[in-house]
Structure formats: C-alpha cells, structure tokens
Amino acid sequence: MQSSSKGWVYGFLGILIFSGSLPATRVAVFELDPFFLTAFRAVIASILALSALLIFRSSWPKKNDIGSLLVVALGVVVGFPLLTALALEHNTSAQSIVFLGLLPLCTAIFGVIRGGERPGKLFWTFSIIGSAIVSGYALISSGTSSTIGNFYMVLSIIVCGLGYAEGAVLARRLGNWQVISWALLLSFPVMLVLTMVTFPTAITGYEVGTYVSVAYVSFFSMYIGFVFWYRGLSIGGIATVGQIQLLQPFFGLVIAALLLQEHVGWLLVVVNIGVVLCVLLAKRYAK
C-alpha cells in the first residue's frame, strides 16, 4: 500500500474516533464544569502518555521542538477541548458538529504555512466549497443556535487546525504517538492544578453516561485518536489527509441521533452530503 493510501487509512481511523468527542462532551457538560472536564481528561491522558514513553523508552525531544510542542498542547490539549466544552453548554452536539466541516480548510492553510505543502488549485476549490456549505448552514441556523456557542466553535476550529498541522510536522521527526505524549506531559502541571481547583465536591451520584463520556474523551479523544491521526497526517500529507475531517460531521451526527436522540433535520443531512462530496473531490485533485 502506498504511503498516501496508508495516510488516508490512519487518518480515517483517527477521525472515526474523534467523531464521538462532541457527543460525549455534550453529555459530560450537563453535569460537569467545562474547565474541570478539559483539565481532567488531559490529566488522565497524560498518565497514558507517560506510561507509553516509559515502556517504549522514547527519546527526549530536542530543545528546538519544545516551542512546537507547546503549540500542539495549546491547540489540541487545552484550546479545542475547552472551547468545544463551552460551546456545548449553549448548543446541541448536532448544531456544533457541523462547524467541524471548517476544520479541513483550516488545517490545510496551516499545513501550507507550517508544513510547506502546496496542494493544487482544484483541491483549494473544493475545500473552500465545503467550508462555504458549512458557513452557510451556520448563518441559516443562527436563529436556533446560540451566537456565543457558534463563536466558541469557530475559535476551537482555528486553534485545532494549528495544533493538527504543527503536530503533523513534528510527527515526521518525533513519531506520531510521541508528539501527543510529549504535548500532554508539557501541559500536565497546569492541567493538574486546574483539575484540583475545579474538582467537584462529589465524584459520585452522576449519571452513568457522564462517567462513560469522561472515559471516552480521556482515553480515546485525548490520546488514542491522535496516535492514528498524526500518523496519517505525517505520511499522507497535512492538507490532503486533513480533508477526511469533512466526514467527521456526518459520523458525529449519526452518533448524536442514535445515542443522544438529538434532532437531525433534513438541512443537516443535505449539508453533510455536500461536504462528503467535497472531501472526495478534494482527495482526487489534491496534487
């Protein structure tokens, strides 16, 4: 299998895992503070990261990698989880998931800036069309969704795209799982303090779904998903493999409808069909 094809396979597995993140976060913030959830999931994932680094005796990152690791940490360990958790206090996961359709274009832009990639013109055309579809939906549905919730989602997309692109560049030198592992360890002291400050008065009495959701975002969204995702981006190309993210809203909406019984109207379905077509065409004309 060619490296580009392998990249798409790894990327697809990563996105499949990430697709459950917003629905799980939506369940968790019904009962937990967004700041606590963000910090606690990072602390749990940091324990996994430390274990992996010790077991496989991974080498330390170089000094000139620390800045990039901090960017990754701020983008995907702190920024995206916190901003999406805040957004999901105001909007449903179905309303928020559609904004993820903007993430491929954002990741591709940072891939050009940070990774030196140069996708073809038709690639950009279909990427922009896909993002325009998502933006149009956001404007049409602004009357039913929260403006502040939408604002948090847009910010989360920007910081996440930067974190993805920066992490993919680092993965070529450090390795895919090593990047998220070191980023988690760098953020661990701050996240541990924030966890202690925001720790709830009781850890029992919550719905079962809350515990399951916290476990999911801690183990899968915060760590395991990145092992596949950064691997895919690093070997298949940041901009091209990043277009798989256009499928994430579709998978996320299915999860929201089946597990959370959230309403998914015909407009959301049309929007997601449109972005799926865009990702397929962007892949075809990536070079």
Side-chain angles (χ1 to χ4, degrees), residues 62-87:
K62 297 179 180 179
K63 289 184 179 180
N64 59 355
D65 291 329
I66 301 300
S68 294
L69 284 170
L70 286 173
V71 171
V72 174
L74 290 173
V76 303
V77 177
V78 181
F80 184 77
L82 177 59
L83 290 166
T84 52
L86 291 171

Side-chain angles (χ1 to χ4, degrees), residues 170-212:
L170 272 177
R172 296 168 184 167
R173 301 196 300 269
L174 300 180
N176 50 304
W177 64 268
Q178 290 92 334
V179 169
I180 189 60
S181 296
W182 287 115
L184 283 164
L185 288 185
L186 278 176
S187 63
F188 178 76
V190 175
M191 293 293 98
L192 180 60
V193 171
L194 184 57
T195 298
M196 296 172 64
V197 171
T198 60
F199 204 86
T201 55
I203 59 173
T204 59
Y206 297 114
E207 296 289 335
V208 174
T210 299
Y211 295 110
V212 173

Side-chain angles (χ1 to χ4, degrees), residues 84-145:
T84 52
L86 291 171
L88 288 164
E89 283 192 314
H90 301 276
N91 291 334
T92 67
S93 59
Q95 291 170 329
S96 302
I97 283 169
V98 72
F99 282 89
L100 297 179
L102 296 171
L103 195 48
L105 179 60
C106 189
T107 303
I109 291 172
F110 284 118
V112 170
I113 296 173
R114 300 297 301 159
E117 298 186 354
R118 294 294 182 269
K121 292 181 179 180
L122 285 176
F123 166 87
W124 288 111
T125 299
F126 290 114
S127 295
I128 292 172
I129 290 173
S131 298
I133 292 173
V134 174
S135 300
Y137 168 79
L139 291 173
I140 292 172
S141 64
S142 60
T144 58
S145 61

Side-chain angles (χ1 to χ4, degrees), residues 166-264:
E166 196 72 30
V169 174
L170 272 177
R172 296 168 184 167
R173 301 196 300 269
L174 300 180
N176 50 304
W177 64 268
Q178 290 92 334
V179 169
I180 189 60
S181 296
W182 287 115
L184 283 164
L185 288 185
L186 278 176
S187 63
F188 178 76
V190 175
M191 293 293 98
L192 180 60
V193 171
L194 184 57
T195 298
M196 296 172 64
V197 171
T198 60
F199 204 86
T201 55
I203 59 173
T204 59
Y206 297 114
E207 296 289 335
V208 174
T210 299
Y211 295 110
V212 173
S213 297
V214 171
Y216 187 89
V217 298
S218 300
F219 288 95
F220 290 93
S221 302
M222 198 72 266
Y223 193 73
I224 297 174
F226 279 103
V227 174
F228 293 102
W229 183 237
Y230 278 143
R231 175 68 172 168
L233 291 177
S234 64
I235 67 175
I238 300 170
T240 53
V241 174
Q243 295 307 300
I244 299 177
Q245 294 169 108
L246 283 172
L247 299 174
Q248 188 173 347
F250 175 75
F251 294 136
L253 287 174
V254 172
I255 294 172
L258 294 179
L259 299 184
L260 304 183
Q261 285 79 52
E262 291 186 354
H263 175 67
V264 178

